[in-house]
Structure formats: C-alpha cells, structure tokens
Amino acid sequence: VQLMESGGGLVESGGSLTLSCLISGFTDETYYINWVRQRPRRPLEWISGIYYDGSKIYYADSVKGRFTISTDNSKNVVHLQMAKLNSDDTGLYTCAADLTSRPPYGPAYRYQHEGRGTQVTVSS
C-alpha cells in the first residue's frame, strides 16, 4: 500500500488550499483514509477521516466547518479542502490509512499505512 500526498504550500491567512492523497495497493480491504497533522511543538492531531467508499465522514472540532474531506473512488484519491486557514493550521499534513478502527484517533495511535506528508504554511 502506498499513500502519496500533494497540494501543500504557502498560503495567506484566510486563504484556501486543497490537499490530495493518492492511494494505491489496496485490493478487497475496507479502510478509513485519514488526514493527520503535526504542528510545531504540538502532538500529532487527527483532523479528518473518510470511509473507503465515502459513506462515512468524520472531522475534529478544530477543523469542522472549515475543512471538507471527499473521495474520488475512480481515481483512488482523497481530497482535503481547507478554507479559512490561519497560522494555527501550519504544519505537516499526512495521509494515513487504518483498516481496524474508525475515527477519531488519539495522538499516539499507530496507523497501518502513512504517507510522507505535505507541508502547509499559513502566513499571518
């Protein structure tokens, strides 16, 4: 299984950005695709998750109403649309897959598969 993130970058406060996670290697499994972020001097934070077929969606309170997760099954891609970004959203955003439990997850949770992450920097 491979997860590859894209779409990170530098954005001004109040702006928007869309991240993508390209998924490959799954066959008949059912799984959740999640976005987690590592902000400076803070523990790893789970922020959103989606069931592999898009039927179940979850958000952390910190991003609810600002971020939207979606999946395009034909392309095996999960998107995270981020709006109203602020400097507190700056961090490394990573795509993570879990086959055993549904979201939300704690900061110490170990996912079965993770990508390398994409950096999001919000300038104030």
Side-chain angles (χ1 to χ4, degrees):
V1 173
Q2 287 190 325
L3 306 174
M4 184 177 299
E5 304 91 343
S6 63
L10 176 64
V11 62
E12 291 185 351
S13 181
S16 302
L17 206 60
T18 297
L19 307 181
S20 298
C21 176
L22 180 62
I23 307 156
S24 62
F26 283 116
T27 53
D28 297 327
E29 300 93 335
T30 60
Y31 51 87
Y32 292 90
I33 295 294
N34 302 276
W35 286 96
V36 299
R37 65 182 180 185
Q38 183 72 65
R39 296 180 291 177
R41 299 173 296 281
R42 298 192 192 190
L44 189 70
E45 180 187 19
W46 169 86
I47 57 174
S48 185
I50 188 168
Y51 198 43
Y52 77 103
D53 63 357
S55 62
K56 303 172 187 177
I57 289 176
Y58 308 83
Y59 296 104
D61 288 342
S62 59
V63 304
K64 194 174 296 182
R66 298 190 300 125
F67 291 9
T68 302
I69 193 170
S70 62
T71 182
D72 180 348
N73 282 328
S74 64
K75 297 182 179 180
N76 293 320
V77 179
V78 169
H79 302 288
L80 185 69
Q81 297 173 279
M82 306 185 295
K84 301 178 183 178
L85 290 164
N86 57 68
S87 58
D88 203 41
D89 294 312
T90 292
L92 182 69
Y93 286 69
T94 302
C95 182
D98 196 85
L99 286 73
T100 61
S101 302
R102 65 179 180 181
Y105 307 100
Y109 190 81
R110 299 188 68 174
Y111 303 88
Q112 279 82 37
H113 306 284
E114 294 184 36
R116 293 188 174 185
T118 185
Q119 178 67 32
V120 173
T121 302
V122 184
S123 62
S124 56

